[in-house]
Amino acid sequence: MEIKVNEETCTGCNLCKKVCLYDAIEIVDGKAVINENCVFCGACIEVCKLNSIEITGLKEEQKDFSDYSGVCVYLEANGDRIADVGFELVSEGKKLADQLGVKLSAVAIGSSIEKSALEAFQYGLDKLYFIDSPVFSDNLDDIFAKALVQVITRYKPEIFLAGATWFGRTLIPKVAAILKTGLTADCTGLAIDEEKKILLQTRPTFGGNILATIITRNARPQMATVRPHVMEKKKIMEDKGDYKDRIEYIEIDEKKFKSKYKLLGIEKELNENINITDYDVIVSGGRGLGGSEKFSMIKELAGLLGGVVGASRAAVDSGWISYPHQVGQTGKTVNPKLYIACGISGAIQHLAGMQTSDIIIAINKDPSAPIFKVANYGIVGDIFEVVPMLIKRLRDGKPLV
Amino acid sequence: MIEIKIAVCIKQVPGTTEIKIDPQTNTLIREGIENIINPFDAYAIEEGVRIRERFSSGEVEVIALTMGPPQSREILKEAISVGVDSAILLSDRAFAGADTWATSTTLAKAINKIGDCRLIILGKQTLDGDTGQVGPELAQRLGIPFIGYASSILEINRNKMKVKRLMEDRYETFEINLPAAISVVKDINTPRVPSLRGKMKAKSVEIPVWDAKQLEADEDEVGLSGSYTQVVKIFTPKIKHEIKMIEGSPGEQVEQLYKELKELNVI
């Protein structure tokens, strides 16, 4: 396998060299030359106007995947509730299944989650595979992986989707590795290639600076994780109440589901048992706050908006607020309906974690702060003036001017 | 005698903070990007060294591994300078273009070749690929447990460890048997800066290079050929960004903002 430049058509225009993030292209005697740093990412192929670069020698086995059919979604549970991302994926899976003309199924594994899982039918689900057992009351990766593998090998979906939650991001790679198939992490867009009937999986890389579309070759199912809140959940059916004929209860031999992980304890610190990715509104504070006590106004504003407190890395590193609140590449990726950044300049790592929010409001005293590059509304001002006024406006309901 | 051998898997990545997009062509501008050690991997290295420091001298050995082009040698030297005992570079043209699966294949072969690694530590994800999948896939290939997002190693001996992991809204503490693999979050430690002695050692250290042949890796199972996923298109997101700056006195600004939010039905 190699990547080649067609010397006859290459004009040495430098475009490929410019886009290469790996320093793998030099222009020698007016022609592009690709060196050993190349990772075959294809960015140069994409940008070349003369189609002068190609990857050759990649073996394409023609495997028969005709026994794989349908789209299957993993409904991850959080306590006795199915996490929203599961329903979002059912809605998205429905679109994909319709395009392919196949059935949409889902798998739920847990203890006392049936009631919540049934809701998935209202989002367009055809079939639910359900494993109900107390052995699944804790997040023990290995036995969940085993159960998922059992379902997938039995029902052979061509596409399998799961939420890119922190549990999902450790569990699903395990499943893909056992099944020996590809997995694309953190997709933000899914589509079907009409002609080839395969899944096109688009995901951000380089902290959201680049989007890559990825396919699964030579293996099935085509597996992808999707970030919470990226896909829209939409109920399309009335609740029928009775779904007995559409549920397949899968019995498991509990003796064979003994985890190698011994869970010693779960800590939910007081006021910390929040998952900021679950909220529609996030009010974040950054370096501009200047101290932990100032987070009280951020908390108050978040409370008034029914939201939760987020923070920049600078605020967390200064010890003003704990790490579970951190938004950004080293913290959490969030997509709320409303994101208010208070005193956050907007380092690229922070932007990578919040720029896909529906509406972003930035309040910062520095008009050149990068946060304004992604914000929908900007206020150049002092957060210690603006935020308390906004709190007052929301609390009292009276116009300020 | 070595009680616990620890392998730390690291990666060289382009530092993304510098990435700029050419507004005319909507393409990336590569100029000025330095190759750096994946920032999340610094915590993995530090944790390996800290575990060694819990034991008597000579009981723990920490080995840094990376798969990449020859220039990745630089980050292995950095790892040595902050206390890693030795390093191995996995480099071969055949490894290029690997997805997470093919990467874990190559790493698994190297770890098996090293032999008797009790613990494998990785950063929680890389800055460029951003997947966080190599750790769990590698652990599965080796048939060992994996704990992601480790935030504290409470106890460790040759056969067992107690480790705390961070989930979105809670901490979970597990006891697992070793060998095992973990990926770490930045909460776990504060990486040290290189010591003078470390820097000296990094300068003179011999770093062996293992290629596909030495790993007994078939060309079809590594690199792009051994990958189940393939990038078919790379593009920069079209940012149609419009910002509405709200002017006036603070009171006017807040009032205006309030109205906008009301209209958008977000409050």
Side-chain angles (χ1 to χ4, degrees):
Chain A
M1 187 190 63
E2 58 182 326
I3 183 160
K4 275 196 214 154
V5 179
N6 183 337
E7 290 195 6
E8 283 175 21
T9 53
C10 176
T11 59
C13 73
N14 212 28
L15 218 50
C16 53
K17 181 178 158 69
K18 263 181 155 173
V19 298
C20 179
L21 284 165
Y22 293 91
D23 236 346
I25 302 181
E26 293 151 77
I27 307 294
V28 181
D29 298 335
K31 306 282 171 197
V33 176
I34 298 173
N35 68 33
E36 63 195 3
N37 291 339
C38 172
V39 301
F40 294 91
C41 75
C44 54
I45 299 175
E46 198 69 39
V47 78
C48 180
K49 294 201 166 92
L50 302 157
N51 297 322
S52 294
I53 310 176
E54 64 171 339
I55 293 174
T56 59
L58 189 62
K59 265 192 231 161
E60 279 305 332
E61 275 177 78
Q62 285 305 318
K63 282 198 187 155
D64 178 19
F65 295 122
S66 56
D67 51 341
Y68 287 85
S69 172
V71 177
C72 184
V73 170
Y74 173 46
L75 300 175
E76 184 186 328
N78 191 355
D80 58 0
R81 290 271 314 150
I82 298 300
D84 267 353
V85 65
F87 300 130
E88 291 159 17
L89 290 178
V90 172
S91 286
E92 183 67 17
K94 175 73 180 153
K95 287 184 220 158
L96 302 173
D98 285 351
Q99 274 185 60
L100 288 165
V102 297
K103 294 277 186 216
L104 173 65
S105 63
V107 46
I109 301 168
S111 178
S112 351
I113 54 164
E114 183 167 1
K115 192 166 163 274
S116 178
L118 291 182
E119 208 186 302
F121 286 107
Q122 296 175 58
Y123 296 94
L125 191 66
D126 295 311
K127 183 114 200 169
L128 175 66
Y129 304 116
F130 186 49
I131 302 179
D132 183 12
S133 163
V135 302
F136 299 111
S137 47
D138 292 316
N139 283 343
L140 303 167
D141 308 42
D142 54 350
I143 57 171
F144 273 80
K146 190 171 177 177
L148 280 174
V149 167
Q150 218 169 69
V151 173
I152 294 168
T153 38
R154 192 183 302 174
Y155 299 101
K156 294 193 165 38
E158 59 197 292
I159 292 172
F160 184 84
L161 309 174
T165 59
W166 288 25
F167 183 56
R169 288 183 66 165
T170 57
L171 168 66
I172 305 300
K174 226 172 165 52
V175 173
I178 297 170
L179 293 168
K180 295 197 165 40
T181 187
L183 172 63
T184 306
D186 275 357
C187 294
T188 52
L190 296 170
I192 300 293
D193 180 316
E194 285 292 335
E195 190 193 325
K196 295 183 188 146
K197 304 282 179 203
I198 56 169
L199 183 65
L200 302 172
Q201 309 152 42
T202 298
R203 66 181 304 271
T205 61
F206 285 101
N209 288 293
I210 303 179
L211 292 172
T213 300
I214 290 164
I215 58 164
T216 306
R217 49 191 285 270
N218 297 339
R220 289 292 179 274
Q222 304 161 81
M223 292 180 60
T225 63
V226 177
R227 288 181 183 174
H229 300 292
V230 168
M231 304 298 178
E232 193 186 354
K233 64 170 183 170
K234 204 172 158 197
K235 285 190 179 168
I236 53 169
M237 318 255 179
E238 293 278 310
D239 183 10
K240 288 202 186 71
D242 182 18
Y243 298 101
K244 284 229 159 42
D245 53 331
R246 285 155 71 185
I247 304 174
E248 183 128 0
Y249 294 93
I250 298 174
E251 296 294 325
I252 56 142
D253 181 355
E254 288 179 3
K255 285 197 295 292
K256 288 187 179 155
F257 283 80
K258 290 262 187 287
S259 178
K260 285 191 174 134
Y261 298 58
K262 194 164 139 199
L263 182 65
L264 302 176
I266 297 174
E267 281 169 64
K268 289 195 175 193
E269 288 173 52
L270 206 59
N271 300 324
E272 296 286 348
N273 61 343
I274 41 121
N275 176 2
I276 61 167
T277 64
D278 276 347
Y279 286 76
D280 284 338
V281 176
I282 297 176
V283 184
S284 278
R287 196 189 298 276
L289 278 172
S292 59
E293 69 281 7
K294 302 291 185 198
F295 260 95
S296 61
M297 71 175 188
I298 302 296
K299 279 181 194 146
E300 194 178 353
L301 179 56
L304 283 167
L305 294 165
V308 68
V309 176
S312 71
R313 179 175 177 165
V316 172
D317 282 355
S318 306
W320 301 340
I321 190 157
S322 63
Y323 179 53
H325 293 271
Q326 187 177 322
V327 173
Q329 207 172 22
T330 46
K332 288 182 182 128
T333 304
V334 298
N335 308 280
K337 293 203 174 94
L338 176 62
Y339 189 92
I340 306 181
C342 306
I344 293 177
S345 64
I348 192 145
Q349 290 86 349
H350 187 79
L351 303 186
M354 47 63 77
Q355 64 190 356
T356 53
S357 307
D358 291 351
I359 294 166
I360 297 166
I361 298 169
I363 308 168
N364 202 300
K365 64 178 181 215
D366 176 8
S368 65
I371 190 78
F372 290 118
K373 287 189 186 144
V374 301
N376 305 93
Y377 296 98
I379 290 183
V380 175
D382 182 352
I383 49 171
F384 300 112
E385 268 188 279
V386 174
V387 174
M389 276 186 175
L390 186 55
I391 289 170
K392 192 172 177 329
R393 181 67 183 89
L394 288 162
R395 200 182 44 209
D396 301 347
K398 286 188 214 131
L400 294 166
V401 283
Chain B
M1 160 164 171
I2 303 290
E3 274 282 298
I4 306 175
K5 212 187 279 179
I6 299 173
V8 183
C9 302
I10 62 177
K11 188 184 181 191
Q12 188 180 52
V13 297
T16 47
T17 46
E18 301 296 323
I19 287 185
K20 294 188 182 82
I21 310 280
D22 182 329
Q24 257 80 50
T25 58
N26 202 37
T27 53
L28 290 163
I29 303 167
R30 172 67 171 80
E31 274 147 43
I33 299 180
E34 295 274 317
N35 287 317
I36 57 167
I37 187 162
N38 176 41
F40 304 104
D41 297 346
Y43 303 97
I45 294 169
E46 177 67 24
E47 200 54 28
V49 174
R50 286 192 187 198
I51 292 169
R52 190 186 62 210
E53 288 167 353
R54 295 185 190 194
F55 290 81
S56 304
S57 165
E59 285 185 335
V60 176
E61 182 185 3
V62 186
I63 305 162
L65 277 179
T66 191
M67 182 187 93
Q71 62 174 19
S72 309
R73 186 186 302 270
E74 292 311 310
I75 62 162
L76 292 173
K77 289 191 169 183
E78 268 184 63
I80 298 262
S81 75
V82 289
V84 163
D85 296 299
S86 61
I88 301 162
L89 173 64
L90 314 175
S91 194
D92 194 310
R93 275 311 284 155
F95 298 155
D99 70 352
T100 58
W101 169 259
T103 303
S104 67
T105 303
T106 307
L107 291 175
K109 281 176 185 290
I111 282 160
N112 284 331
K113 187 175 159 76
I114 294 168
D116 196 37
C117 290
R118 304 303 293 174
L119 180 65
I120 295 146
I121 312 179
L122 307 94
K124 81 169 172 116
Q125 66 202 59
T126 58
L127 206 57
D128 55 350
D130 229 353
T131 73
Q133 287 180 181
V134 171
E137 290 187 335
L138 171 63
Q140 190 58 45
R141 306 224 59 174
L142 294 167
I144 60 177
F146 174 78
I147 297 284
Y149 306 103
S151 65
S152 171
I153 294 175
L154 304 167
E155 284 172 32
I156 181 165
N157 62 39
R158 185 177 154 80
N159 300 310
K160 266 184 192 165
M161 75 188 290
K162 276 186 193 165
V163 57
K164 197 190 262 195
R165 78 171 172 194
L166 177 65
M167 291 278 102
E168 285 100 333
D169 58 350
R170 64 190 179 277
Y171 292 97
E172 296 172 339
T173 305
F174 290 96
E175 183 179 272
I176 50 170
N177 288 335
L178 299 188
I182 60 170
S183 75
V184 300
V185 293
K186 73 174 189 91
D187 240 16
I188 199 163
N189 58 43
T190 309
R192 71 195 67 190
V193 292
S195 65
L196 190 61
R197 223 178 93 201
K199 278 187 190 165
M200 297 296 286
K201 189 180 169 192
K203 244 183 204 170
S204 59
V205 72
E206 288 276 327
I207 295 176
V209 183
W210 290 355
D211 60 12
K213 207 173 147 202
Q214 277 158 296
L215 290 179
E216 293 173 27
D218 195 22
E219 293 222 346
D220 286 345
E221 56 179 339
V222 295
L224 185 53
S225 305
S227 297
Y228 287 126
T229 62
Q230 186 185 359
V231 177
V232 289
K233 185 176 158 72
I234 274 197
F235 54 106
T236 41
K238 295 241 183 320
I239 304 165
K240 278 184 283 173
H241 182 251
E242 272 178 51
I243 182 164
K244 188 164 180 179
M245 295 305 287
I246 301 174
E247 317 280 345
S249 71
E252 289 163 349
Q253 286 176 315
V254 169
E255 196 54 37
Q256 174 73 18
L257 178 65
Y258 183 84
K259 274 187 199 142
E260 300 275 358
L261 293 180
K262 259 282 188 262
E263 264 167 46
L264 290 164
N265 265 330
V266 288
I267 52 171

